Amino acid sequence: MRMPAVLRPYDVVLIGGGIMSATLGILLKHLEPSWSIAVYERLPELGAEASAAWNNAGTGHSGLCEPNYTTEKPDGTLDITKAVTVNEQFQQTRQLWASLVEAGILGKPASFINPVPHMTLVQGIEDAQFLRRRHEKLSGHPLFASTRFSSAVKTIEQWAPLLAQGRLPSEWLAATHDATGSDVDFGALTRQMFTHLETAGVTVHLRNEVRGLRQNNDGSWQLRIHHHTDRDRITHRVDARFVFAGAGGWALKILQKAGLPEVQGYGLLPISGRFLRCDNPELVDLHEAKVYGKAPAGAPPMSMPHLDTRIVDGRRTILFGPYAGTNPRFLKHGSVLDAPSSLRPQNVGPMASMLKDNTSLAWLLVSQLAATRRRKFAALREFAPSAQSGDWTMITAGQRAQIVKPDPVRGGVLQFGTEVVASQDGSIAAVLGASPGASTAPAILLEVLDRCFPRYRQHWAPRLRELIPTYGVTLGSDARLARYTLARTAEILGLNPAEPG
Ligand SMILES: Cc1cc2nc3c(=O)[nH]c(=O)nc-3n(C[C@H](O)[C@H](O)[C@H](O)COP(=O)(O)OP(=O)(O)OC[C@H]3O[C@@H](n4cnc5c(N)ncnc54)[C@H](O)[C@@H]3O)c2cc1C
């Protein structure tokens, strides 16, 4: 049945009910409580796509353990910029969540964040040297002062027994360990944020899919929405002064529908993921860490294997993976037509060039998809040599949609980070890409505010400092403030305090 158009102007419409929309809603409600905000989510639940607990790895990414955030420069020195930047961003995240816990907006911290040490594990002399140099370079930074390095199997065994059990004495291992790391249930966090937003007057519409957008003459946007009821589909329209597409893998599709010139030539490479999950309490008791290894040469960062303690709904489990693969959907609950329908005359060339330049990635995706369970299990045994197949079950994670951008030299390039795209007039914005993603949502959304509401910058700064006290300050340049901030947020969020060496 088709309903007549209903025009209802909102100040802000958030498309999608994941962690990005939730965080932006929280920030905007704090900054401008009188603004009217509506959320449209196509699924019957909030936080059910990439932000759902089992659809991601739950790592509070802070550069403590991810080897790919530290790259080797051509002259052989290490570039730690990305690790430091991600850690600085995660400190903003910790401060925002701490403020929301103190304000009673978020519930008990353990319902969404738990202390889980972050480790890096490598094998062989060359990688051990890389890890030692990485540690030396980072340990001078106040946010990395708690990281310890060891190449002694006994110490690694104390840190995480599963990593050492069943190893040959001749094996070369090296690891770093940082007790300040965390495991996060982004799905629970998302739902708690939306519960607060609803009590603060935000209207949340489930089973409502935004199908079309067009800009009105006054610069606002009109959205065409399909509301799916059990028996029917109702089409309605709403107007909004500002639109944020927190639509995960479908964000590009929305910007394409809006005809944004900023994304002309952009495409997406969908990458699916699977994890092995272990619930055996005896094994779970032997492992309390998120342990990242180095990705095989030529492999993309999202195939970097990790053996993770997860804490979801108060239950501990272990996760290993991800095993990347291909699948044309841009969302786990998306459509097989997502990839083909995203092709435009302008992005076919960049997509073809990207595929030509990334044959090793294409090969890795196909080979991981085709790998037998036995081969997949062999990858786990590199981390936990004593692992037994019967203790592990395979689960399907969320979809990643990696950005492919036009490039004047190479035709098209694949990007692994997250990118904020905003229209020139600041009336519509979106977040594309997946990593480091949810952990750095506040920093990403502060960029959205900065780019879309430049007139409000000065007026909002003091209000933002109420939520993120170090807003505008780099902690790396103020060791005392860094130590104080780490200690304060650790206490409020129930995380392990920093232990300077
Ligand atoms: C395998 C995997 C592992 C990951 N591991 C980590 C990790 O360890 N740490 C970390 O920080 N990040 C991790 N990430 C990234 C993180 O999950 C994402 O960055 C984050 O969840 C994205 O949040 P979002 O709100 O943008 O998207 P989503 O959570 O996907 O939410 C988007 C929502 O928009 C809705 N939607 C889409 N289109 C429409 C429409 N047209 N109308 C209405 N609703 C719509 C969808 O149904 C969905 O609910 C991982 C991701 C994956 C896939």
Side-chain angles (χ1 to χ4, degrees):
M1 190 179 76
R2 222 180 139 75
M3 290 266 290
V6 179
L7 287 179
R8 217 174 134 203
Y10 285 103
D11 292 312
V12 176
V13 162
L14 306 172
I15 304 175
I19 188 73
M20 294 297 167
S21 288
T23 306
L24 186 59
I26 288 282
L27 291 173
L28 282 171
K29 254 292 152 215
H30 182 76
L31 295 169
E32 296 295 335
S34 66
W35 284 9
S36 57
I37 304 180
V39 180
Y40 291 91
E41 165 55 54
R42 63 190 285 268
L43 296 178
E45 286 174 79
L46 294 161
E49 270 289 343
S51 303
W54 297 111
N55 285 347
N56 62 70
T59 303
H61 283 302
S62 35
L64 299 173
C65 61
E66 306 82 349
N68 62 309
Y69 292 170
T70 335
T71 47
E72 289 206 79
K73 292 199 268 195
D75 65 1
T77 56
L78 287 184
D79 183 355
I80 58 168
T81 315
K82 174 122 195 229
V84 170
T85 304
V86 172
N87 198 325
E88 290 273 359
Q89 292 177 334
F90 193 63
Q91 300 316 317
Q92 292 193 327
T93 300
R94 283 174 51 143
Q95 291 178 70
L96 175 67
W97 295 347
S99 299
L100 299 180
V101 167
E102 283 191 317
I105 290 171
L106 294 178
K108 284 200 174 85
S111 64
F112 69 91
I113 189 166
N114 283 279
V116 175
H118 283 192
M119 291 182 66
T120 311
L121 178 78
V122 294
Q123 300 179 43
I125 296 177
E126 212 175 292
D127 283 346
Q129 280 169 351
F130 160 81
L131 194 61
R132 183 189 290 278
R133 285 193 299 132
R134 180 185 196 271
H135 174 249
E136 279 168 4
K137 193 129 190 214
L138 283 169
S139 59
H141 191 285
L143 295 175
F144 293 83
S146 298
T147 312
R148 305 283 175 266
F149 170 88
S150 181
S151 51
V153 177
K154 273 248 160 305
T155 308
I156 297 172
E157 186 170 11
Q158 278 165 10
W159 286 338
L162 264 193
L163 303 180
Q165 279 184 0
R167 296 250 173 221
L168 297 172
S170 57
E171 284 185 64
W172 259 92
L173 285 187
T176 53
H177 179 274
D178 196 308
T180 63
S182 57
D183 176 71
V184 184
D185 178 344
F186 292 107
L189 185 65
T190 301
R191 287 187 292 277
Q192 290 184 28
M193 285 181 173
F194 276 121
T195 300
H196 165 74
L197 287 174
E198 285 193 83
T199 58
V202 171
T203 48
V204 176
H205 306 267
L206 299 178
R207 296 173 190 261
N208 273 265
E209 185 174 317
V210 175
R211 300 294 298 250
L213 295 94
R214 71 174 175 80
Q215 194 158 27
N216 299 318
N217 291 337
D218 65 357
S220 65
W221 289 89
Q222 184 171 101
L223 287 76
R224 185 166 47 84
I225 298 166
H226 281 182
H227 172 41
H228 296 273
T229 67
D230 287 340
R231 279 176 299 133
D232 217 343
R233 194 191 78 193
I234 300 163
T235 302
H236 59 117
R237 289 175 168 77
V238 295
D239 277 12
R241 266 193 324 125
F242 172 70
V243 175
F244 174 68
W250 276 17
L252 179 65
K253 196 158 132 171
I254 290 186
L255 297 183
Q256 285 177 334
K257 282 186 172 148
L260 226 67
E262 284 77 1
V263 292
Q264 224 184 47
Y266 276 49
L268 291 178
L269 178 72
I271 297 183
S272 59
R274 304 190 85 194
F275 287 114
L276 280 169
R277 172 178 163 171
C278 169
D279 294 285
N280 179 340
E282 281 171 34
L283 294 180
V284 170
D285 280 351
L286 285 178
H287 191 70
E288 195 191 335
K290 292 175 105 64
V291 186
Y292 279 63
K294 270 187 102 181
M302 89 286 290
S303 66
M304 186 171 55
H306 44 100
L307 186 66
D308 274 29
T309 295
R310 295 299 323 270
I311 301 162
V312 178
D313 295 331
R315 266 193 71 194
R316 298 177 84 89
T317 48
I318 315 178
L319 217 59
F320 179 76
Y323 299 98
T326 59
N327 173 333
R329 292 180 172 86
F330 291 162
L331 287 172
K332 190 171 176 178
H333 302 99
S335 155
V336 288
L337 297 177
D338 284 349
S341 66
S342 73
L343 291 177
R344 301 280 183 281
Q346 299 89 342
N347 66 15
V348 170
M351 289 295 288
S353 306
M354 177 281 296
L355 288 172
K356 190 166 62 66
D357 285 356
N358 289 279
T359 42
S360 62
L361 167 62
W363 173 242
L364 179 115
L365 295 179
V366 172
S367 64
Q368 284 213 356
L369 202 66
T372 56
R373 183 175 163 96
R374 205 187 157 101
R375 251 190 66 201
K376 288 193 167 108
F377 210 72
L380 165 62
R381 284 231 170 98
E382 301 222 345
F383 278 74
S386 59
Q388 298 297 319
S389 177
D391 290 318
W392 297 80
T393 46
M394 192 63 87
I395 62 168
T396 302
Q399 283 287 112
R400 290 178 194 266
Q402 305 296 148
I403 312 164
V404 178
K405 279 171 82 163
D407 180 85
V409 181
R410 289 160 63 194
V413 287
L414 182 62
Q415 281 203 342
F416 292 109
T418 317
E419 181 176 330
V420 171
V421 177
S423 64
Q424 223 166 20
D425 64 2
S427 62
I428 184 167
V431 177
L432 302 179
S435 188
S439 305
T440 55
I444 292 169
L445 296 158
L446 287 174
E447 185 186 336
V448 169
L449 293 182
D450 203 48
R451 287 177 52 187
C452 296
F453 299 93
R455 280 192 306 123
Y456 292 77
R457 206 172 284 154
Q458 274 200 325
H459 172 59
W460 282 352
R463 297 282 286 152
L464 286 171
R465 272 186 218 106
E466 290 166 4
L467 295 176
I468 303 171
T470 69
Y471 171 70
V473 178
T474 307
L475 289 175
S477 56
D478 189 338
R480 256 183 53 183
L481 184 63
R483 281 195 296 275
Y484 169 77
T485 304
L486 272 169
R488 187 181 151 268
T489 53
E491 195 183 336
I492 299 168
L493 296 174
L495 301 176
N496 292 326
E499 295 162 1

